[in-house]
Amino acid sequence: MEVARREGKEKSPLVALVLALIVLGLGSLYLTWQSIAQQRKIVEDHMIMTGNSILRGVDNNILRIARTLRMGQQSPKLFQAMAEELFTELSKSEDIVFISLFGADGKPLVASVTDQQPPVFKLPDSVTQDIEPGRAWHVMAEVGKKGVLISGLRTRPGIATLSGRPGVPPEETQGDHSLEQGSRRPFRLGQGLGAAAVNESQEPPVFLVVGLNAEKHMAQYRQYKRAATYQTGYVFLAAVVLWSLVFAYLRRRGASRKLVRLERFQNTLLDNMPDGLVTLAEDGEILAANYSAKTLLTPEGREGAPEIIGSNWRDFPFGGASEMSRMSIPYGWQQYDYQGRQLEILSLHLQTYDEDAAPELGQRLVLLRDRTQIRSLEEDLNEAKRLAAIGSLAAGVAHEVRNPLSSLRGFAQLFATKLKGQAPLDQYATTMVQEADRLNRVVTDLLYLAKPRTLDPKHIDLAKVGDSIRQLMRFDFEGKQIEPEFDFGPDPLYADQDALRQVLLNLISNSLDAIEGCTDCPRPGHIHLTSERGDGGVWIIVADDGPGMDPELSDDVFKPFVTGKKTGTGLGLAIVQNIMRAHKGRAVVQSLPGEGMEVQLFFPDMPDDDQEGIDI
């Protein structure tokens, strides 16, 4: 069974979590990229600083070599040999790939001797023209499939002549260059150079270039980059795993909440069922029961529903019988009387399709329902059917019997008058008149049951009704030595006045006959009529101190033709019951042998939607 629920509030934490993880992932990627870029800048700055140091050192050594030479025809060769030896010696270091002196055309003039040929560079104009002597420049390049930081600077004046670069005509010069941004006198090589000395402005540019091995530094950078990438990947993977776990947890929590809601709904549904539901173990132990089952199994007179879980079903009077009926009848409702209730019980075997089903769920299912009201309605229906049959019979008998009965009674009364004093004929005639009157009363009662008439309920003063009944039956009370007591309360009664008089007269007549026929009852006899308010209406109680009623007649006392009197018709209480039902009330009889009889009549108050009339 699905239970509808609103999911908007429950999805909000999930959406917030997804957004938080996305922001976390993007932030981590950005920080990692920034960190890698900063690390590369640090590595490059370190390599540039190293290149500057080596470059300045080599430049100073070249200048020192140049100063130790005397200018002559062999000076360039000696300079080149000494510079080459210096370059080769320095290139043996792992940090230096090559050292060369380059011309403006990018061809090496003096280079370190290594296994590889020195590279040829095409220097840009920004290097050959714009950079002053002594100012360094740096660029990353790939030489021999290796990363190399190339650092260079323009040598000082005089180095070009010693490097084998002859002077150039004045018109090809590029202007006067100073060594280091300030004005400095041109450097000349020794004394005696004379006319062979070359002016600074006439020298072609020569560049000292040092190639530094960047693999070591770049390896550290790549290692850091790899570690940062892995770290970011781990963080991102952990975030994904965490997100998956949280999402699974939220789904599981949602499923748990749904299960709890469904369980609460089912418990509420079962507890509010009008029918009782009980699950039993194989040995009959009660494992579960809803509220209706506990209420239906409550002993009479006890308040509240008892706790029956843990007790045995066979301890109830119908427990064993229900199991026997279950074995004989696979599926059938059985009716039992228990604590004043008419219970209908159905016992079923639970069919479990799951092998792992919990044994605490029980092996049998028992359904209980209260048929007390339904049984009362069925009895009313059966009685209505009997009354309908009686009505049909009375309608046919009345016309066939009443007319000849009137004639017979008239002739019998005539004979009684003519034969007065002639015993025993006068007694026979008197008996004929009495029996004709009794038969006429039977026919009248039958016609009253058969012929429906409309009630006109109104508010009635019971005191006035009591006075009229006392006056009407005054001679009956005196002749049978009965003392009536009318003690009606001040509350008015909502009923049809003629029907109420009919009910009270029938009950008083029954009491008179019962007390008159009782030889052991005290004299004078007493009949008490009282009233009281309660249950949304007015109760009228008619009680006597007669012999009481036979217990065997208690269940059938309101059925037609059921009577405990030798001369009774058995229609008086049936008429009373019919009138009370027409008023939507009820009649209750309480009687014990030797303790008299009490009839309680309940008349409900006027309903809000009062009808024009009621048919009985």
Side-chain angles (χ1 to χ4, degrees):
M1 180 180 293
E2 294 291 337
V3 181
R5 63 187 180 93
R6 296 182 179 178
E7 300 181 353
K9 295 184 178 179
E10 296 189 1
K11 284 186 176 181
S12 298
L14 182 61
V15 173
L17 177 62
V18 172
L19 293 177
L21 289 175
I22 292 176
V23 172
L24 176 63
L26 294 178
S28 177
L29 291 176
Y30 176 75
L31 292 177
T32 302
W33 176 79
Q34 288 283 18
S35 177
I36 292 174
Q38 185 68 23
Q39 184 66 23
R40 183 179 179 89
K41 186 176 184 304
I42 293 174
V43 171
E44 290 178 351
D45 290 344
H46 178 71
M47 288 191 299
I48 290 173
M49 185 182 299
T50 303
N52 274 330
S53 300
I54 296 175
L55 194 62
R56 298 299 179 185
V58 174
D59 185 44
N60 291 332
N61 287 328
I62 292 175
L63 186 60
R64 191 178 299 113
I65 292 173
R67 287 176 179 176
T68 58
L69 294 177
R70 290 181 177 273
M71 291 303 299
Q73 296 296 329
Q74 300 298 325
S75 295
K77 293 182 179 180
L78 291 175
F79 176 80
Q80 294 176 8
M82 294 176 68
E84 181 177 336
E85 182 181 359
L86 175 64
F87 294 168
T88 302
E89 185 67 23
L90 293 175
S91 298
K92 292 179 180 180
S93 174
E94 294 181 356
D95 295 334
I96 300 176
V97 178
F98 67 89
I99 302 177
S100 298
L101 289 174
F102 286 89
D105 55 0
K107 294 180 180 181
L109 303 176
V110 181
S112 59
V113 179
T114 59
D115 296 337
Q116 299 179 354
Q117 292 294 328
V120 177
F121 298 101
K122 183 179 180 181
L123 300 176
D125 295 339
S126 59
V127 172
T128 59
Q129 299 177 6
D130 298 338
I131 297 181
E132 306 88 354
R135 185 176 180 182
W137 49 267
H138 308 275
V139 65
M140 287 294 298
E142 185 174 344
V143 178
K145 297 183 179 179
K146 293 182 179 180
V148 177
L149 174 67
I150 299 176
S151 301
L153 56 77
R154 184 174 178 178
T155 60
R156 302 182 187 185
I159 300 299
T161 304
L162 294 176
S163 300
R165 298 286 293 183
V168 293
E171 59 272 12
E172 295 182 5
T173 60
Q174 302 298 326
D176 188 13
H177 295 276
S178 61
L179 182 62
E180 290 179 340
Q181 296 183 2
S183 60
R184 182 178 176 183
R185 299 294 298 174
F187 172 72
R188 300 188 182 275
L189 299 178
Q191 297 178 0
L193 186 59
V198 181
N199 189 274
E200 175 184 350
S201 61
Q202 296 177 347
E203 284 187 348
V206 175
F207 300 94
L208 173 64
V209 178
V210 178
L212 299 180
N213 186 4
E215 288 296 323
K216 182 178 180 180
H217 301 279
M218 295 305 297
Q220 295 178 355
Y221 164 73
R222 284 192 291 269
Q223 183 178 1
Y224 175 82
K225 180 179 180 181
R226 188 182 305 110
T229 304
Y230 287 160
Q231 183 179 2
T232 304
Y234 291 152
V235 172
F236 186 74
L237 180 61
V240 172
V241 173
L242 179 62
W243 179 83
S244 302
L245 293 177
V246 172
F247 183 73
Y249 167 74
L250 291 177
R251 290 187 60 185
R252 185 176 182 85
R253 187 180 67 173
S256 300
R257 289 181 176 178
K258 183 178 180 180
L259 181 61
V260 170
R261 283 194 298 269
L262 182 60
E263 183 178 359
R264 290 177 179 174
F265 173 76
Q266 290 178 348
N267 291 337
T268 304
L269 181 64
L270 292 177
D271 288 338
N272 289 275
M273 286 178 57
D275 296 340
L277 186 145
V278 179
T279 56
L280 307 178
E282 191 66 28
D283 58 353
E285 180 185 1
I286 299 177
L287 301 179
N290 65 348
Y291 181 78
S292 297
K294 297 177 183 179
T295 303
L296 293 176
L297 298 177
T298 302
E300 189 175 7
R302 179 174 177 178
E303 296 182 358
E307 185 58 56
I308 62 175
I309 298 177
S311 59
N312 199 291
W313 180 256
R314 298 188 181 95
D315 295 339
F316 292 95
F318 46 78
S322 63
E323 291 189 3
M324 295 299 296
S325 63
R326 178 180 63 86
M327 297 175 62
S328 59
I329 304 175
Y331 184 88
W333 292 88
Q334 301 297 320
Q335 296 184 4
Y336 303 95
D337 289 328
Y338 177 72
Q339 300 292 337
R341 300 185 183 95
Q342 180 70 20
L343 299 182
E344 198 170 44
I345 300 176
L346 175 63
S347 180
L348 299 173
H349 183 75
L350 285 177
Q351 298 180 359
T352 57
Y353 300 98
D354 187 3
E355 296 180 356
D356 299 331
E360 62 269 13
L361 297 179
Q363 301 294 329
R364 277 197 298 135
L365 178 68
V366 178
L367 298 177
L368 304 92
R369 58 190 184 190
D370 190 358
R371 284 184 54 86
T372 304
Q373 294 183 354
I374 298 178
R375 184 180 182 182
S376 177
L377 294 176
E378 290 177 349
E379 292 177 354
D380 293 344
L381 179 61
N382 294 331
E383 185 172 355
K385 291 180 179 180
R386 289 193 297 269
L387 293 176
I390 294 173
S392 299
L393 176 63
V397 171
H399 296 286
E400 301 295 333
V401 173
R402 202 163 193 179
N403 291 333
L405 181 62
S406 299
S407 301
L408 291 175
R409 186 184 184 284
F411 286 113
Q413 190 174 7
L414 176 62
F415 292 154
T417 304
K418 295 293 185 181
L419 299 175
K420 186 176 182 179
Q422 300 180 21
L425 297 179
D426 58 348
Q427 296 179 358
Y428 295 156
T430 302
T431 302
M432 290 174 62
V433 173
Q434 293 176 352
E435 291 300 320
D437 291 338
R438 189 175 69 85
L439 183 58
N440 185 59
R441 289 196 300 271
V442 172
V443 173
T444 302
D445 292 340
L446 286 174
L447 289 175
Y448 188 84
L449 287 174
K451 181 182 179 181
R453 70 184 185 88
T454 300
L455 294 180
D456 185 17
K458 297 179 180 179
H459 287 95
I460 300 173
D461 187 356
L462 290 177
K464 295 182 179 179
V465 175
D467 293 341
S468 64
I469 292 177
R470 186 197 301 270
Q471 186 67 25
L472 180 64
M473 303 190 70
R474 181 182 68 237
F475 297 106
D476 294 319
F477 292 144
E478 294 176 357
K480 296 180 181 182
Q481 298 181 357
I482 303 296
E483 293 182 358
E485 296 181 7
F486 293 86
D487 188 16
F488 292 125
D491 297 316
L493 182 72
Y494 184 72
D496 182 271
Q497 186 168 354
D498 293 337
L500 176 62
R501 288 168 57 87
Q502 180 73 26
V503 169
L504 296 179
L505 288 174
N506 284 352
L507 295 178
I508 292 174
S509 297
N510 288 342
S511 297
L512 289 174
D513 295 339
I515 294 175
E516 183 183 13
C518 178
T519 57
D520 298 331
C521 295
R523 290 291 185 274
H526 298 84
I527 298 177
H528 304 272
L529 285 87
T530 59
S531 68
E532 60 183 24
R533 170 165 288 281
D535 301 332
V538 177
W539 289 87
I540 295 179
I541 297 95
V542 180
D544 60 54
D545 54 2
M549 184 177 59
D550 189 353
E552 296 180 356
L553 301 177
S554 59
D555 294 337
D556 301 329
V557 67
F558 291 113
K559 294 181 179 179
F561 305 108
V562 176
T563 180
K565 298 186 295 184
K566 296 181 180 180
T567 59
T569 62
L571 297 177
L573 289 180
I575 294 174
V576 171
Q577 179 76 335
N578 192 22
I579 293 175
M580 294 307 299
R581 286 176 176 171
H583 285 86
K584 301 185 183 302
R586 59 183 180 272
V588 181
V589 175
Q590 295 181 356
S591 177
L592 292 176
E595 297 184 5
M597 182 173 176
E598 180 179 289
V599 180
Q600 300 176 359
L601 306 174
F602 176 71
F603 292 86
D605 293 334
M606 181 179 64
D608 295 335
D609 51 347
D610 189 20
Q611 300 177 356
E612 293 294 335
I614 305 175
D615 293 336
I616 62 171

